[in-house]
Amino acid sequence: MSSRPAPLAMGESRFRLIARIMKVVLGFVGLFALGSAIAPEPYSEVLGQMAVASLIAAPLLRVLWMSIRWIRRGDYKYSAVALGVFTLALIGFLLG
Amino acid sequence: MPAVWVLILLSLGCALLGALGGIGGASLMVPTLLILDVDPLLAAPLGMLLVGAGSLAAASRQLEEGLVHHRLGLSVELLATVGTITGALLSTRIDPVWLARLLGLAAMAGALAAVGRKGIRNLPQRIFDNDHAGEWPGTLAGTYSLGGSAVPYQAKRVPAGLGVAVGAGVVAGLSGVGGGFLKTPAMSEVMKVPVKVAAATSTFASGITAATGLLIYTAQDRIEVESAAVVVLGALVGGALGARLQTVLNAVTVRRTTGVLLAVISIIVLVRSL
């Protein structure tokens, strides 16, 4: 096992960045959902749509972020897997 | 659709139990919505919203702890997404009675997974103690932190695990449950990945399943925005409460209690669909 590649340092700054971004998105989703529950029409509808849109966008952006990160590290195989997942999600929307 | 206060209490309670029991709140909520006479076609998107909110709520903590194996999660998700798309597209063409039966069976599978889940398999090794917890580039291997020591692991029997992932995706797309109760055992029991890593990776993957499913449901105009926002709100509050209570309550007892509750709900759904 001594020749194994170095593990990703999950606690280092680049993963902290995506963790922070996820925290911020989570805060916005919560605010949009709360706003939708208490605001009058038509604001509640718009805020509700923003909550759902943020919830859809967050994991897909994380996938895209991973793909770009792996391309930079030369890990093309798993970068292609990530891009495949992203593309399939968009195809699903188009087929729906 | 039930009253707003019913939806918020239901999503809060299901997310709370889901977080405590580690079975995914949607497998509890969607069958309960059917018992409340919600159309399965409208119940499925609400389940997916609960899954997506739960995945997002857990994301930052799991990233900081180095528990998610993104390469494994995305490999599983690549095939699960094909299943999710197929299931979501088929769901509008399937008789609602059969959809309810499938949900009942999915809930029963979730109950069995909750009751029968095993504990720690991989043990810490001193040789890895200086490593950061995380995944190894270009592989489906890595280490995770357990009691201050690093535990190495390597995914095995990958094709078999990916096969289960396709089935999990179809079930998720058809019914609106996240499929985590199938993906987690696929990773932990079939691919021999530590349960903690499998659960975190499954939560990450289920977030993508939810996003894909919700994109399709949006295109099919099946999301009621008012109910959706209430469910998301309840899921976020319930998930946060569940994470706090995890340190106080016995996880195994809660998981088994939730499993029994889920089994009762699945039986009600199955009996009503006969």
Side-chain angles (χ1 to χ4, degrees), chain A residues 4 6 8 10 62 70 75 93, chain B residues 71 131 133 135-138:
Chain A
R4 74 189 193 288
L8 290 182
M10 301 296 263
R62 188 170 161 190
W70 291 337
D75 191 352
F93 177 66
Chain B
R71 287 172 178 80
D131 283 343
E135 54 195 286
W136 296 350

Side-chain angles (χ1 to χ4, degrees), chain A residues 4-8 10 15 19 23 26 29-30 33 36 45 48 56 59 62-63 66 70 75 78 81 84-85 88 92-93 96, chain B residues 59-60 63 66 68 70-71 74-75 78 85 128 131 133-138 140 204 207-208 211 215-216 219-220 225 229 232 236:
Chain A
R4 74 189 193 288
L8 290 182
M10 301 296 263
F15 269 97
K23 240 179 221 174
L26 178 65
V29 170
S36 176
E45 178 84 7
I56 293 171
R62 188 170 161 190
V63 171
M66 286 293 163
W70 291 337
D75 191 352
Y78 287 101
V81 170
V85 171
L88 276 174
F93 177 66
Chain B
S60 62
L63 275 165
V68 180
H70 290 92
R71 287 172 178 80
L74 287 170
S75 300
L78 186 65
I85 292 170
F128 294 100
D131 283 343
E135 54 195 286
W136 296 350
L140 295 182
F204 162 62
I208 304 167
L215 273 174
I216 298 170
Q220 292 172 339
V225 174
V232 169
L236 293 179

Side-chain angles (χ1 to χ4, degrees), chain B residues 74-87:
Chain B
L74 287 170
S75 300
V76 165
E77 203 49 37
L78 186 65
L79 291 173
T81 301
V82 175
T84 305
I85 292 170
T86 310

Side-chain angles (χ1 to χ4, degrees), chain B residues 64-253:
Chain B
E64 283 161 3
E65 289 174 356
L67 283 173
V68 180
H69 199 301
H70 290 92
R71 287 172 178 80
L72 177 61
L74 287 170
S75 300
V76 165
E77 203 49 37
L78 186 65
L79 291 173
T81 301
V82 175
T84 305
I85 292 170
T86 310
L89 293 175
L90 282 175
S91 63
T92 52
R93 294 176 174 81
I94 288 182
D95 186 336
V97 174
W98 279 101
L99 208 52
R101 285 176 189 162
L102 179 89
L103 267 166
L105 290 174
M108 185 59 82
L112 293 173
V115 173
R117 190 188 297 171
K118 292 175 185 165
I120 298 162
R121 180 190 301 111
N122 305 46
L123 296 172
Q125 291 185 18
R126 283 190 173 279
I127 190 172
F128 294 100
D129 280 2
N130 292 326
D131 283 343
H132 293 283
E135 54 195 286
W136 296 350
T139 69
L140 295 182
T143 56
Y144 83 105
S145 183
L146 182 70
S149 296
V151 184
Y153 62 87
Q154 163 81 55
K156 294 166 187 162
R157 293 190 289 177
V158 175
L162 296 182
V164 179
V166 178
V170 174
V171 171
L174 278 172
S175 63
V177 301
F181 62 87
L182 289 173
K183 285 178 198 160
T184 305
M187 283 186 251
S188 67
E189 305 309 314
V190 180
M191 299 164 111
K192 304 295 178 191
V193 170
V195 174
K196 254 182 133 176
V197 176
T201 304
S202 170
T203 304
F204 162 62
S206 295
I208 304 167
T209 301
T212 307
L214 287 169
L215 273 174
I216 298 170
Y217 297 147
T218 303
Q220 292 172 339
D221 202 19
R222 282 168 60 183
I223 299 178
E224 284 191 3
V225 174
E226 189 192 358
S227 311
V230 167
V231 165
V232 169
L233 193 60
L236 293 179
V237 175
L241 279 175
R244 282 186 184 273
L245 284 174
Q246 257 178 349
T247 54
V248 182
L249 300 176
N250 183 312
V252 177
T253 308

Side-chain angles (χ1 to χ4, degrees), chain A residues 55, chain B residues 11-12 14-15 24-26 29 45-55 231 234-235:
Chain A
L55 210 56
Chain B
S11 57
L12 192 152
C14 290
M29 191 175 86
L46 296 180
M48 281 293 186
L49 285 162
L50 195 84
V51 173
S55 176
V231 165

